[in-house]
Amino acid sequence: MLFLIFSVYGQIGLIFLFFLPSGGFMFTAGMLIAAGRYHYDLPTLCMLLTIAAIAGNITGYIFGKKIAPYLHTRQDSRFFKQTYLISAQRFFQKHGSLAIAVALFFPVVRTFVPIVAGITKVHFNKFLLYAAVGSLFYVVGFSLTGYLIGKVPLLKPYLNYITIGLILLLTSPVLVRLVKIVKNA
């Protein structure tokens, strides 16, 4: 359970762990609970992981808020442009609440939205509300889907293959993007 909590928290709140497939891990945990191979129940799993997701969002937001003064005075470089901050701020003014809640369903994006929200000074209470709602739907969505698939008797012999396939599916876009970034650098 600690691994799951850390992976959800880390992927959302710690920029250097953006590559973790926490959605795949939650899905897998739901399947394992349904198959009787994991000794936690689904409500406990969802409660603990929702708290981890909210904590990760808060950590990312605070980090963004702390580095904001540095970024607002930083010179443009190859990877950073002041126009990026302005664009992000406009984006949050237009779509902020929805973006915060929905971002959790997209790998990599879920790591950076809380940071950008902190940098662009999205009001914390508003951020927290939508981060909490998004976290709840994110955790329950992945875990419950895994649980429901794990309950299908026909699929039980294939759960290991489904798990590996899902983790590869969820991780491959991140890996492809990293390879492209490294190639172009």
Side-chain angles (χ1 to χ4, degrees):
M1 181 60 92
L2 286 178
F3 173 78
L4 276 171
I5 291 169
F6 180 75
S7 71
V8 170
Y9 169 80
Q11 188 192 28
I12 297 169
L14 304 175
I15 195 166
F16 58 90
L17 293 177
F18 69 91
F19 60 87
L20 288 174
S22 61
F25 293 153
M26 290 186 295
F27 180 88
T28 301
M31 281 193 333
L32 292 174
I33 289 169
R37 297 187 205 166
Y38 199 57
H39 65 276
Y40 290 94
D41 62 13
L42 191 63
T44 301
L45 176 83
C46 290
M47 180 188 65
L48 293 173
L49 296 182
T50 299
I51 291 167
I54 293 168
N57 272 292
I58 292 169
T59 301
Y61 181 90
I62 290 169
F63 176 74
K65 198 164 183 163
K66 293 281 186 197
I67 66 168
Y70 166 73
L71 291 178
H72 286 295
T73 60
R74 182 174 177 195
Q75 297 293 324
D76 286 354
S77 67
R78 183 175 181 186
F79 296 106
F80 176 80
K81 307 255 186 274
Q82 286 292 326
T83 56
Y84 297 164
L85 288 178
I86 295 165
S87 296
Q89 197 160 17
R90 287 186 184 140
F91 176 81
F92 275 114
Q93 286 171 347
K94 186 174 182 181
H95 306 288
S97 304
L98 185 60
I100 292 165
V102 173
L104 288 162
F105 289 92
F106 298 98
V108 180
V109 175
R110 73 177 65 110
T111 303
F112 292 97
V113 163
I115 295 168
V116 174
I119 291 169
T120 59
K121 298 179 176 124
V122 171
H123 191 271
F124 181 74
N125 290 339
K126 182 178 182 180
F127 169 81
L128 186 58
L129 172 66
Y130 286 96
V133 169
S135 294
L136 179 65
F137 282 108
Y138 169 62
V139 169
V140 171
F142 275 90
S143 301
L144 184 60
T145 301
Y147 182 83
L148 293 173
I149 288 175
K151 282 291 190 186
V152 177
L154 179 68
L155 296 177
K156 282 195 181 189
Y158 307 103
L159 290 182
N160 291 337
Y161 302 112
I162 293 170
T163 300
I164 292 167
L166 180 69
I167 290 173
L168 289 174
L169 179 71
L170 292 173
T171 307
S172 61
V174 174
L175 296 176
V176 168
R177 182 75 175 137
L178 283 175
V179 168
K180 285 182 182 179
I181 289 171
V182 170
K183 253 185 171 178
N184 294 332

